[in-house]
């Protein structure tokens, strides 16, 4: 950029971007427009082919200005922010101060209120009650070095919760029991009155990239350019099978629409977020569990939800598990994201309702598959729970996690797997009443 157009510097006045401006400034203006529209196809083209800057401010009629990153916060579009940040990384990774995925202050950018994208997200959390809080974007920005850390996000969410209590004339416990997701899911996640949910985590509806991990939306510097595949026409099973072949995915994986999908009908294959009304409840001997809500039934093969959390490397997951064990944390919420075990999901501090699905050795009613959508980075598939059988109302969701988790049984005072089948076998072995 030449100096008169470099809008990130606070001592420069932003200019109105028109045909007289340099290509970089016109690119930034086009990128801002595409970001507001959520047009990932145009954003891809602008980032890769035009070198448009996600952190360059664009001045508009009336004197206001903002960057494409600010627009992504406004839209509360995680995929949009993730793609823009990946483009930012490609522009800045020659900077000696750029370590891992932690960006220097030059990438922050400011709007006409002098807010960085992180500060704008905090403002939305604290002051705009009719908008879904951009919690997931704030967590991503924090992991990219855009904010001071988790405490500020926690304070903003707590302040928002207090304002919602006043707005809806509800107590804190009533607000939490009505929807543990606090509006993050399309359907509420209720908490039974008898259950005590300790809110020591951020509720997220999708997985969050950490400081060590990032989705590669594209690789314009690679000699072998791998492009997204798509299909013409509506989203059908045959078209998705073709997409699976074109993307050369493992046989056990499934392929879903990406942002190039041109279906003329509402796409039925989106797999993000919760699909059914579920509730967190207190089990007899395994702590909290997850079950279908009253009046809710799930058919065999229906997609239910995703296992989400923070995406970390296997090495970091091991370090965290050891740290949690020393701190006295009960259980492990880490799960291999890819089949090689190189990347994991840690749902300890960031999680959705899926983290409360308990283990069952032989009677599990859900199964899990990996799926790819939106991007082509096979390190970061979705972990999707679907029904193995018809599931009726108020029925607990269970899954066979592979390794039998052991815990102290309150009935026999022995350590064993607490699923119903293993408990009965253990009790019979020791002559206890079943």
């Amino acid at each position: 950029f030449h100096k008169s157009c470099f809008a990130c510097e606070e001592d420069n006045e932003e200019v109105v971007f028109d045909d007289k401006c340099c290509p970089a400034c016109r690119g930034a203006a086009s990128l801002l427009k595409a970001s507001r529209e959520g047009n990932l196809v145009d954003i891809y083209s602008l980032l890769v082919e035009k070198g448009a800057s996600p952190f360059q401010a664009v001045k508009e009629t009336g004197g206001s200005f903002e960057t494409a990153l600010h627009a992504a916060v406004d839209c509360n579009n995680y995929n949009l922010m993730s793609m823009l940040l990946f483009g930012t990384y490609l522009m800045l990774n020659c900077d000696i101060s750029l370590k891992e995925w932690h960006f220097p202050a030059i990438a922050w950018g400011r709007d006409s209120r002098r807010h960085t994208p992180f500060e704008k997200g905090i403002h939305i959390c604290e002051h705009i009650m009719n908008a879904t809080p951009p919690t997931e974007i704030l967590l991503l920005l924090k992991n990219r070095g855009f904010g001071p850390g988790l405490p500020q996000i926690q304070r903003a969410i707590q302040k928002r919760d207090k304002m919602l209590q006043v707005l809806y004339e509800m107590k804190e416990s009533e607000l939490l029991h009505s929807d543990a997701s606090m509006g993050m899911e399309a359907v509420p996640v209720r908490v039974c009155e008898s259950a005590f949910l300790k809110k020591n985590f951020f509720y997220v509806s999708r997985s969050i990239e950490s400081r060590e991990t990032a989705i590669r939306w594209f690789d314009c510097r690679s000699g072998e350019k791998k492009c997204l595949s798509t299909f013409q026409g509506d989203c059908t099973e045959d078209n998705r099978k073709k997409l699976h072949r074109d993307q050369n995915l493992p046989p056990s994986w499934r392929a879903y629409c990406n942002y190039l999908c041109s279906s003329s009908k509402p796409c039925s294959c989106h797999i993000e977020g919760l699909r059914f009304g579920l509730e967190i409840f207190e089990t007899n001997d395994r702590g909290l569990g997850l079950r279908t809500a009253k009046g809710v039934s799930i058919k065999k093969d229906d997609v239910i939800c995703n296992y989400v959390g923070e995406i970390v490397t296997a090495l970091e997951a091991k370090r965290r598990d050891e740290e949690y064990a020393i701190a006295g944390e009960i259980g492990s919420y880490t799960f291999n994201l890819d089949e090689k075990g190189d990347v994991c999901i840690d749902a300890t501090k960031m999680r959705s309702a899926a983290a409360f699905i308990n283990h069952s050795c032989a009677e599990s009613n859900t199964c899990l598959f990996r799926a790819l959508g939106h991007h082509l980075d096979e390190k970061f598939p979705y972990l999707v729970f679907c029904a193995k059988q018809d599931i009726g109302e108020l029925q607990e969701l269970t899954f066979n996690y592979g390794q039998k988790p052991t815990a102290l049984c309150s009935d026999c005072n022995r350590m064993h797997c607490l699923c119903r089948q293993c408990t009965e076998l253990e009790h019979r072995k020791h002559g206890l009443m079943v």
Side-chain angles (χ1 to χ4, degrees):
F1 308 115
H2 55 76
K3 190 171 180 60
S4 64
C5 291
F6 194 29
C8 292
E9 296 186 13
E10 294 189 12
D11 58 344
N12 291 338
E13 291 186 4
E14 286 73 14
V15 295
V16 176
F17 296 100
D18 53 27
D19 291 339
K20 298 179 182 179
C21 291
C22 69
C25 296
R26 292 198 300 272
S30 298
L31 189 63
L32 175 60
K33 180 177 181 294
S35 297
R36 287 173 173 168
E37 296 170 350
N39 189 336
L40 297 186
V41 177
D42 285 354
I43 290 170
Y44 170 86
S45 175
L46 288 163
L47 290 173
V48 174
E49 298 172 12
K50 305 294 184 183
S53 171
F55 53 86
Q56 183 168 351
V58 178
K59 188 175 182 180
E60 301 176 288
T61 304
S64 64
F65 56 90
E66 67 176 0
T67 71
L69 295 173
H70 289 85
V73 176
D74 257 338
C75 299
N76 198 8
N77 187 327
Y78 183 95
N79 288 327
L80 168 58
M81 178 62 79
S82 178
M83 180 183 279
L84 289 173
L85 288 177
F86 187 69
T88 300
Y89 170 79
L90 292 181
M91 295 186 70
L92 296 176
N93 69 358
C94 60
D95 191 300
I96 60 173
S97 66
L98 185 62
K99 298 176 181 178
E100 298 173 327
W101 294 95
H102 194 268
F103 295 167
I106 191 176
W108 289 16
R110 294 185 180 271
D111 63 10
S112 48
R113 290 189 174 190
R114 314 311 296 171
H115 285 163
T116 65
F118 182 88
E119 291 165 345
K120 181 166 189 173
I122 293 292
H123 176 82
I124 292 173
C125 270
E126 295 181 342
H127 299 285
I128 305 178
M129 296 298 107
N130 61 348
T132 302
T135 308
E136 296 156 350
I137 285 180
L138 285 171
L139 292 169
L140 175 61
L141 290 173
K142 186 273 299 181
N143 286 342
R144 295 290 177 264
F146 279 70
L150 290 178
Q152 188 172 357
I153 304 175
Q154 290 171 332
R155 287 193 295 270
I157 296 298
Q158 290 168 357
K159 182 177 179 180
R160 179 184 181 86
D161 290 350
K162 289 185 185 336
M163 295 179 71
L164 288 174
Q165 291 168 36
V166 174
L167 182 64
Y168 295 120
E169 298 181 343
M170 300 173 71
K171 296 179 181 178
E172 182 180 5
S173 59
E174 293 174 334
L175 192 65
L176 182 61
H177 280 77
S178 66
D179 184 11
S181 79
M182 303 301 285
M184 298 295 293
E185 299 282 13
V187 291
V189 181
R190 304 195 183 280
V191 182
C192 292
E193 293 295 330
S194 59
F196 174 70
L197 178 63
K198 189 177 180 181
K199 199 64 184 294
N200 55 355
F201 62 90
F202 290 98
Y203 193 103
V204 293
S205 62
R206 58 164 304 126
S207 291
I208 310 299
E209 299 150 77
S210 68
R211 182 171 175 169
E212 298 84 16
T213 60
I215 295 171
R216 291 186 174 273
W217 288 88
F218 42 81
D219 192 357
C220 58
R221 301 179 182 184
S222 171
E224 297 180 2
K225 185 177 178 182
K226 189 176 183 182
C227 299
L228 278 170
S229 300
T230 186
F231 48 77
Q232 297 296 320
D234 294 329
C235 180
T236 63
E237 185 176 352
D238 287 340
N239 276 334
R240 290 197 295 273
K241 286 180 179 179
K242 180 180 183 300
L243 195 61
H244 188 284
R245 291 194 301 270
D246 292 344
Q247 293 182 342
N248 195 28
L249 297 180
S252 62
W253 288 32
R254 300 186 190 180
Y256 286 94
C257 279
N258 51 60
Y259 62 86
L260 296 177
C261 178
S262 59
S263 178
S264 61
K265 300 177 181 178
C267 188
S268 61
C269 77
H270 291 304
I271 50 176
E272 293 178 296
L274 197 61
R275 297 292 193 92
F276 297 93
L278 304 177
E279 61 183 24
I280 299 167
F281 75 107
E282 191 77 39
T283 65
N284 292 331
D285 51 10
R286 290 172 294 154
L288 296 176
L290 188 67
R291 68 185 183 190
T292 50
K294 187 173 179 59
V296 174
S297 59
I298 302 174
K299 298 294 185 184
K300 182 180 178 181
D301 296 328
D302 280 349
V303 169
I304 304 171
C305 58
N306 298 351
Y307 193 89
V308 302
E310 189 174 13
I311 305 172
V312 297
T313 61
L315 186 63
E316 174 65 11
K318 182 180 179 181
R319 186 196 68 79
R320 290 187 181 190
D321 275 344
E322 293 171 352
E323 181 182 289
Y324 298 150
I326 294 172
E329 297 282 352
I330 299 175
S332 174
Y333 289 92
T334 57
F335 201 109
N336 286 346
L337 184 57
D338 63 340
E339 291 175 328
K340 297 179 181 178
D342 295 333
V343 186
C344 301
I345 290 288
D346 179 11
T348 306
K349 296 181 179 178
M350 305 176 195
R351 71 178 74 157
S352 70
F356 297 98
I357 297 178
N358 282 318
H359 169 82
S360 179
C361 291
E363 298 179 325
S364 60
N365 53 16
T366 69
C367 58
L368 183 141
F369 64 85
R370 290 173 171 84
L372 202 61
H374 292 301
H375 58 82
L376 270 185
D377 198 331
E378 294 179 11
K379 287 185 177 180
F380 307 105
Y382 293 103
L383 298 179
V384 186
F385 283 108
C386 68
K388 287 171 60 177
Q389 60 199 47
D390 290 349
I391 303 173
E393 66 174 5
L394 299 179
Q395 188 172 343
E396 182 179 5
L397 302 182
T398 56
F399 173 72
N400 188 340
Y401 286 95
Q403 295 180 337
K404 292 186 178 183
T406 60
L408 183 65
C409 176
S410 58
D411 293 325
C412 68
N413 202 32
R414 289 184 174 86
M415 297 290 292
H416 59 76
C417 174
L418 296 180
C419 78
R420 190 186 68 83
Q421 185 190 44
C422 289
T423 298
E424 289 181 357
L425 289 173
E426 190 70 20
H427 286 182
R428 284 197 185 100
K429 186 192 304 182
H430 294 92
L432 297 178
M433 294 290 293
V434 180

